[in-house]
Every structure is written in C-alpha cells, then in structure tokens.
Amino acid sequence: MTANFKGARIAIASDHGGFEQKESLKPWLVQQGYSVKDLGPDNEASVDYPDYAHIVAKLVARGEADAGILVCGTGLGMSIAANKVKGIRAVPVTTPEFAQLAREHNDANVLCLSGRFVDDASNKHIVQEFLTTDFAEGRHARRVAKFEDA
Ligand code: RB5
C-alpha cells in the first residue's frame, strides 16, 4: 500500500498512439519533482502496446519504480496488459475525478492514459491527481487485498 506518489520514481512508456503525450509528460514530471524512467519507445513507429505495458508493470511489481504511467490510443489495452502482472492495479483514466478515486479507493499503481481522446493539458491534470492523492485505507484496504484472491 502506498499513501501517495509525491516525489516518487515513475516508470513511463507508450505505444505510437501515446508517444507524443509521453514525450510531453516526461519533462513536466521532472519539473514537478518526480524521478522519471522512460521505458520507450523512442520514436513514433508502430509498436505493440503489451510489450511496453509489461515492462513498466514488472518494474513497478518488483519495486524498482513506485508507480507507472502508460499512454496508448485509449489507455484500455495498456491497462488490460499491465493487469496481467501480479501486484499491478492498473486503471484506464479519462477524468481527474476517476484518477482521484482510483487512488483513494483502489490504491492503483499504474495509470493508463489515452493519447488520442484526451488532450495533453487534461492528461496532466489527471496525472497530478493520480500522483498526489492518498489511498484512503480502512475498508478500502480490505477490498484491495482481495484483488489477488481470484
Ligand atoms: C493502437 O492502434 C491502439 O490499438 C492502441 O494505442 C490502444 O488504443 C489499445 O488499446
């Protein structure tokens, strides 16, 4: 469980649908005081998003990064792929309110963004909410602990 990710180590990756926003997020995150590890890709060529989702998810699961950010066209495929890694709670988010709730109630540790349907400024607002909101613990901790029971 993580209170919040203020000043944390962030692993970030994208596919071609999220490349531009990943590139924009990196310096912005550094400016906000985060340590950022870019896991690729390094250009806009077409790639398979599960490859990048798995790299970031494994880093977070191993504790080598505190949280992950993945950007694809919708955020949907990245979240499905990242959630296959044990210990990962990845959420596709398109509003700041959902980012806040994903932290407060679900202790999400990987944020999946849409590079095609949400603009850069809105995604930065989402990222800010996600990284600074505290997990609420209490009854939510009991529920989150059950995620791995399936
Ligand atoms: C790539 O065309 C697209 O499928 C991908 O970016 C993502 O939206 C998948 O969920």
Side-chain angles (χ1 to χ4, degrees):
M1 267 173 269
T2 316
N4 63 61
F5 297 118
K6 287 176 190 164
R9 298 164 303 158
I10 310 298
I12 191 168
S14 74
D15 72 354
H16 47 288
F19 178 76
E20 203 177 309
Q21 289 213 22
K22 170 175 73 76
E23 291 303 298
S24 168
L25 275 168
K26 283 190 298 177
W28 178 81
L29 282 165
V30 170
Q31 205 175 34
Q32 308 276 313
Y34 294 94
S35 142
V36 181
K37 187 169 181 135
D38 181 4
L39 282 311
D42 61 11
N43 62 60
E44 256 174 323
S46 180
V47 293
D48 296 337
Y49 57 84
D51 298 337
Y52 293 90
H54 291 158
I55 292 168
V56 164
K58 284 175 185 171
L59 273 186
V60 173
R62 288 200 300 262
E64 291 169 32
D66 302 304
I69 298 177
L70 294 164
V71 198
C72 67
T74 58
L76 299 175
M78 284 292 202
S79 67
I80 294 168
N83 276 318
K84 298 294 180 189
V85 176
K86 189 172 166 56
I88 291 305
R89 297 177 296 279
V91 283
V93 171
T94 54
T95 69
E97 292 80 8
F98 272 33
Q100 187 190 335
L101 288 167
R103 287 293 310 135
E104 270 180 23
H105 289 200
N106 313 122
D107 196 22
N109 52 12
V110 175
L111 174 66
C112 303
L113 300 172
S114 166
R116 288 191 178 139
F117 295 90
V118 180
D119 65 38
D120 184 87
S122 302
N123 268 335
K124 284 178 177 145
H125 190 185
I126 287 167
V127 169
Q128 187 169 20
E129 285 299 314
F130 185 86
L131 296 177
T132 60
T133 300
D134 286 356
F135 177 49
E137 308 216 12
R139 66 187 185 281
H140 301 296
R142 183 181 70 245
R143 294 165 185 163
V144 167
K146 291 187 176 185
F147 286 169
E148 304 286 346
D149 287 352

mmCIF file of all heavy atoms in Angstrom, residues 15-18 47 49 72-78 116, ligand 1:
data_model
loop_
_atom_site.group_PDB
_atom_site.id
_atom_site.type_symbol
_atom_site.label_atom_id
_atom_site.label_comp_id
_atom_site.label_asym_id
_atom_site.label_seq_id
_atom_site.Cartn_x
_atom_site.Cartn_y
_atom_site.Cartn_z
ATOM 1 N N ASP A 15 2.752 3.530 -26.565
ATOM 2 C CA ASP A 15 2.889 2.984 -27.912
ATOM 3 C C ASP A 15 2.864 4.191 -28.852
ATOM 4 O O ASP A 15 2.989 5.338 -28.392
ATOM 5 C CB ASP A 15 1.825 1.911 -28.218
ATOM 6 C CG ASP A 15 0.432 2.485 -28.415
ATOM 7 O OD1 ASP A 15 0.241 3.708 -28.203
ATOM 8 O OD2 ASP A 15 -0.467 1.722 -28.790
ATOM 9 N N HIS A 16 2.692 3.955 -30.148
ATOM 10 C CA HIS A 16 2.673 5.067 -31.100
ATOM 11 C C HIS A 16 1.495 6.020 -30.840
ATOM 12 O O HIS A 16 1.614 7.211 -31.063
ATOM 13 C CB HIS A 16 2.634 4.528 -32.535
ATOM 14 C CG HIS A 16 1.620 3.443 -32.718
ATOM 15 N ND1 HIS A 16 1.799 2.176 -32.187
ATOM 16 C CD2 HIS A 16 0.419 3.421 -33.343
ATOM 17 C CE1 HIS A 16 0.753 1.418 -32.492
ATOM 18 N NE2 HIS A 16 -0.100 2.150 -33.188
ATOM 19 N N GLY A 17 0.375 5.475 -30.311
ATOM 20 C CA GLY A 17 -0.802 6.308 -30.037
ATOM 21 C C GLY A 17 -0.605 7.247 -28.862
ATOM 22 O O GLY A 17 -1.368 8.206 -28.708
ATOM 23 N N GLY A 18 0.394 6.975 -28.043
ATOM 24 C CA GLY A 18 0.612 7.808 -26.869
ATOM 25 C C GLY A 18 1.983 8.447 -26.820
ATOM 26 O O GLY A 18 2.324 9.136 -25.856
ATOM 27 N N VAL A 47 4.220 0.145 -32.661
ATOM 28 C CA VAL A 47 4.705 -0.926 -31.780
ATOM 29 C C VAL A 47 3.501 -1.616 -31.152
ATOM 30 O O VAL A 47 2.364 -1.154 -31.287
ATOM 31 C CB VAL A 47 5.631 -0.369 -30.665
ATOM 32 C CG1 VAL A 47 6.928 0.177 -31.238
ATOM 33 C CG2 VAL A 47 4.902 0.689 -29.828
ATOM 34 N N TYR A 49 1.527 -2.407 -27.907
ATOM 35 C CA TYR A 49 1.444 -1.843 -26.557
ATOM 36 C C TYR A 49 1.655 -2.866 -25.424
ATOM 37 O O TYR A 49 2.210 -2.493 -24.379
ATOM 38 C CB TYR A 49 0.127 -1.059 -26.356
ATOM 39 C CG TYR A 49 -1.123 -1.864 -26.603
ATOM 40 C CD1 TYR A 49 -1.657 -2.667 -25.599
ATOM 41 C CD2 TYR A 49 -1.763 -1.837 -27.830
ATOM 42 C CE1 TYR A 49 -2.793 -3.421 -25.819
ATOM 43 C CE2 TYR A 49 -2.898 -2.589 -28.054
ATOM 44 C CZ TYR A 49 -3.417 -3.381 -27.049
ATOM 45 O OH TYR A 49 -4.533 -4.128 -27.272
ATOM 46 N N CYS A 72 -1.454 4.948 -24.386
ATOM 47 C CA CYS A 72 -1.712 4.381 -25.715
ATOM 48 C C CYS A 72 -2.854 5.180 -26.334
ATOM 49 O O CYS A 72 -3.148 6.289 -25.883
ATOM 50 C CB CYS A 72 -1.977 2.879 -25.656
ATOM 51 S SG CYS A 72 -3.488 2.367 -24.823
ATOM 52 N N GLY A 73 -3.488 4.662 -27.365
ATOM 53 C CA GLY A 73 -4.556 5.422 -28.010
ATOM 54 C C GLY A 73 -5.704 5.696 -27.054
ATOM 55 O O GLY A 73 -6.199 6.812 -26.941
ATOM 56 N N THR A 74 -6.124 4.644 -26.346
ATOM 57 C CA THR A 74 -7.271 4.764 -25.442
ATOM 58 C C THR A 74 -6.916 4.628 -23.968
ATOM 59 O O THR A 74 -7.711 5.017 -23.106
ATOM 60 C CB THR A 74 -8.291 3.651 -25.744
ATOM 61 O OG1 THR A 74 -7.610 2.389 -25.594
ATOM 62 C CG2 THR A 74 -8.862 3.770 -27.153
ATOM 63 N N GLY A 75 -5.809 3.982 -23.664
ATOM 64 C CA GLY A 75 -5.480 3.596 -22.284
ATOM 65 C C GLY A 75 -6.026 2.219 -21.939
ATOM 66 O O GLY A 75 -5.664 1.627 -20.924
ATOM 67 N N LEU A 76 -6.881 1.688 -22.790
ATOM 68 C CA LEU A 76 -7.574 0.430 -22.465
ATOM 69 C C LEU A 76 -6.666 -0.787 -22.611
ATOM 70 O O LEU A 76 -6.564 -1.617 -21.707
ATOM 71 C CB LEU A 76 -8.815 0.277 -23.350
ATOM 72 C CG LEU A 76 -9.875 1.380 -23.186
ATOM 73 C CD1 LEU A 76 -11.005 1.194 -24.198
ATOM 74 C CD2 LEU A 76 -10.426 1.390 -21.772
ATOM 75 N N GLY A 77 -6.020 -0.908 -23.763
ATOM 76 C CA GLY A 77 -5.157 -2.067 -23.988
ATOM 77 C C GLY A 77 -4.000 -2.101 -23.009
ATOM 78 O O GLY A 77 -3.638 -3.178 -22.488
ATOM 79 N N MET A 78 -3.418 -0.946 -22.724
ATOM 80 C CA MET A 78 -2.310 -0.876 -21.765
ATOM 81 C C MET A 78 -2.754 -1.400 -20.406
ATOM 82 O O MET A 78 -2.022 -2.137 -19.739
ATOM 83 C CB MET A 78 -1.824 0.571 -21.615
ATOM 84 C CG MET A 78 -0.985 1.086 -22.769
ATOM 85 S SD MET A 78 0.624 0.246 -22.851
ATOM 86 C CE MET A 78 1.563 1.461 -23.793
ATOM 87 N N ARG A 116 -5.169 9.687 -27.576
ATOM 88 C CA ARG A 116 -5.962 10.082 -28.751
ATOM 89 C C ARG A 116 -7.275 10.767 -28.399
ATOM 90 O O ARG A 116 -7.819 11.488 -29.228
ATOM 91 C CB ARG A 116 -6.261 8.850 -29.609
ATOM 92 C CG ARG A 116 -5.027 8.336 -30.347
ATOM 93 C CD ARG A 116 -5.368 7.293 -31.379
ATOM 94 N NE ARG A 116 -4.162 6.861 -32.085
ATOM 95 C CZ ARG A 116 -3.907 5.592 -32.401
ATOM 96 N NH1 ARG A 116 -4.788 4.640 -32.105
ATOM 97 N NH2 ARG A 116 -2.798 5.278 -33.036
HETATM 98 C C1 RB5 B 1 -3.108 1.204 -31.495
HETATM 99 O O1 RB5 B 1 -3.657 1.439 -32.730
HETATM 100 C C2 RB5 B 1 -4.209 1.151 -30.428
HETATM 101 O O2 RB5 B 1 -4.912 -0.043 -30.530
HETATM 102 C C3 RB5 B 1 -3.598 1.304 -29.056
HETATM 103 O O3 RB5 B 1 -2.926 2.515 -28.976
HETATM 104 C C4 RB5 B 1 -4.568 1.288 -27.872
HETATM 105 O O4 RB5 B 1 -5.591 2.216 -28.035
HETATM 106 C C5 RB5 B 1 -5.030 -0.017 -27.443
HETATM 107 O O5 RB5 B 1 -5.800 -0.184 -26.509
#
